Amino acid sequence: MTPYDVIVLGGGAAGLFCAAAAGQRGRRVLVLEHNDRVGKKITISGGGRCNFTNIGASPENYLSSNPEFCRSALARYTPSDFLSLVESHGIPWHEKKLGQLFCNTRSQDIIDLLLAECSRAGVTIRCGAHIAEVAKGDCFRVRTADSEFSAASLVVATGGLSFAKLGASDLGYRIARQFGLRLTGIRPGLVPLTFLGAEREAFGPLSGVSLPVRIRHGHAVFEESMLLTHRGFSGPAILQISSYWREGETLCIDLLPQGESEVLPGRGTAVTQLSTLWPKRFAEAWCARCTPDKPVAQWTAREREETRRKLHAWPVDFSGTEGYPKAEVTLGGVDTRDLSSKTMEARKVPGLYFIGEVVDVTGWLGGYNFQWAWASARAAGQAA
Ligand SMILES: Cc1cc2nc3c(=O)[nH]c(=O)nc-3n(C[C@H](O)[C@H](O)[C@H](O)COP(=O)(O)OP(=O)(O)OC[C@H]3O[C@@H](n4cnc5c(N)ncnc54)[C@H](O)[C@@H]3O)c2cc1C
């Protein structure tokens, strides 16, 4: 059996970054990845250009049963720290909007960075490793289909359940349970929402149309674009709010986020007026469902008020979400009450660490999830 100091399960963003950090401290590190190559999710992230961090990332941009948990790791490894690393590798980048930093050319640049850092640290990476069993005696033992490995520390970086086609599995949750750690409820996040029947008939044919909106859920407010799909609503505003939305809740969408006060002043039809602000097809479909069927001049004061209210708080019910196959992240995970916020180590199982998306810390859309992957990985990599 090959001895290592640290075994990392999962060769994604968090796993590779943690392996490099531990290796650079002189630890002998092995990464076990079941895909045929590492970092598959990074490849497709950010539309192929990896939104690798958000310069403004702070604990307020994360959802967790314990919102304070992420504070320490995020403070000790900041977006500027990762950006310095990106620059030291000569990777060209740009800010797209709202502090979101992207590669100029391709996500592979970030994978190359992680692999270079691992190589510099002497990390061994094994792809195609199918993990059959994890056990703990004096040290951790990991059995794969054809080998067995041991190490004093085991870092679980197997991610969440979204995008199974890229290798997502529930291994991390199973290991947490095996060692007595609690799990919070998990569900898809940053995911398109699906229509109920009536809305689907009216808006489904408008797939591809998008418009700026503002959506609020409690204290969370997002002003971004909303995209219509065949089955529901997507686009940044909807993806963001989907992480807060719960089955059965009605979402109120402000369709005039710029606060146009003089809409529908009394001439022509609502469609003509709203077409100056929205894509015409959306104006037609929306007005057919939500405004009186007569020229605006003939509306009563009550109809006018009712329409104004709907324009700024259009109530929409959804049947559900598109689920894990289309979710960018998995909300919930390993309960942070059972982990040290300084090192990500399990409080009751010395040497066992959980990092990245498998933990109950989930970021907004916009580079926040990678920043959590880097920060939590770094915290564990300095301790494991
Ligand atoms: C389409 C898409 C686009 C995204 N774009 C962005 C973006 O631009 N910016 C951003 O911040 N976030 C983005 N995200 C979210 C981000 O990719 C994740 O939050 C981040 O990758 C989590 O890192 P991780 O290392 O915890 O998990 P992952 O990156 O998912 O890595 C987990 C690794 O573990 C491996 N693994 C799983 N099960 C096993 C097993 N049983 N045995 C061995 N290995 C296993 C997986 O194959 C994978 O390589 C995106 C997500 C998706 C799906």
Side-chain angles (χ1 to χ4, degrees), residues 117-355:
E117 290 293 313
C118 282
S119 163
R120 188 160 74 86
V123 172
T124 305
I125 298 175
R126 282 216 180 188
C127 291
H130 296 283
I131 290 141
E133 195 185 3
V134 172
K136 185 171 196 279
D138 298 343
C139 59
F140 288 93
R141 282 162 190 268
V142 178
R143 192 164 58 76
T144 63
D146 54 12
S147 304
E148 195 166 335
F149 307 94
S150 70
S153 298
L154 181 71
V155 180
V156 181
T158 47
L161 293 183
S162 50
F163 271 66
K165 63 181 180 188
L166 297 180
S169 83
D170 67 351
L171 180 65
Y173 307 123
R174 281 192 278 124
I175 294 174
R177 246 185 256 120
Q178 177 187 341
F179 287 98
L181 280 79
R182 289 168 285 188
L183 295 174
T184 66
I186 57 168
R187 61 198 168 90
L190 300 180
V191 62
L193 299 176
T194 50
F195 292 137
L196 288 168
E199 260 87 17
R200 187 173 183 165
E201 237 167 73
F203 297 103
L206 274 60
S207 175
V209 166
S210 84
L211 66 158
V213 298
R214 183 191 294 123
I215 313 186
R216 181 184 297 275
H217 189 288
H219 294 300
V221 187
F222 297 99
E223 194 172 322
E224 289 233 47
S225 63
M226 174 174 89
L227 172 72
L228 280 74
T229 73
H230 288 295
R231 293 165 45 83
F233 288 159
S234 184
I238 294 291
L239 297 180
Q240 298 281 31
I241 216 72
S242 73
S243 294
Y244 292 87
W245 179 81
R246 298 295 187 130
E247 297 266 328
E249 287 179 353
T250 302
L251 280 179
C252 287
I253 304 176
D254 185 344
L255 295 166
L256 297 175
Q258 303 308 318
E260 291 85 349
S261 52
E262 281 313 302
V263 282
L264 310 175
R267 291 218 172 161
T269 64
V271 174
T272 344
Q273 292 188 32
L274 289 169
S275 295
T276 63
L277 301 166
W278 299 339
K280 184 158 185 260
R281 290 166 65 210
F282 181 79
E284 286 167 351
W286 191 82
C287 290
R289 281 183 69 73
C290 300
T291 62
D293 184 17
K294 54 189 175 187
V296 176
Q298 293 170 23
W299 290 6
T300 63
R302 193 167 164 195
E303 285 169 338
R304 204 173 274 275
E305 185 45 41
E306 174 80 348
T307 305
R308 188 155 286 155
R309 201 177 51 72
K310 277 191 202 154
L311 282 167
H312 286 292
W314 178 36
V316 184
D317 293 316
F318 295 93
S319 61
T321 76
E322 292 277 8
Y324 290 114
K326 294 210 174 151
E328 282 203 11
V329 287
T330 301
L331 289 154
V334 177
D335 194 322
T336 58
R337 287 176 299 176
D338 292 339
L339 299 177
S340 154
S341 63
K342 299 270 178 303
T343 61
M344 306 293 135
E345 189 175 20
R347 290 188 185 285
K348 293 189 182 150
V349 191
L352 179 63
Y353 299 77
F354 290 85
I355 57 172

Side-chain angles (χ1 to χ4, degrees), residues 57-76:
S58 75
E60 289 67 42
N61 307 117
Y62 294 85
L63 290 85
S64 170
S65 306
N66 174 6
E68 292 301 310
F69 180 82
C70 61
R71 194 171 286 280
S72 168
L74 289 174
R76 283 178 298 132

Side-chain angles (χ1 to χ4, degrees), residues 10 12-14 33-35 44-46 51 163 167 169 328 357 367 369-370:
E33 164 61 53
H34 67 169
N35 280 339
I44 61 150
S45 68
N51 178 192
F163 271 66
S169 83
E328 282 203 11
E357 198 176 312
N369 283 295
F370 279 136

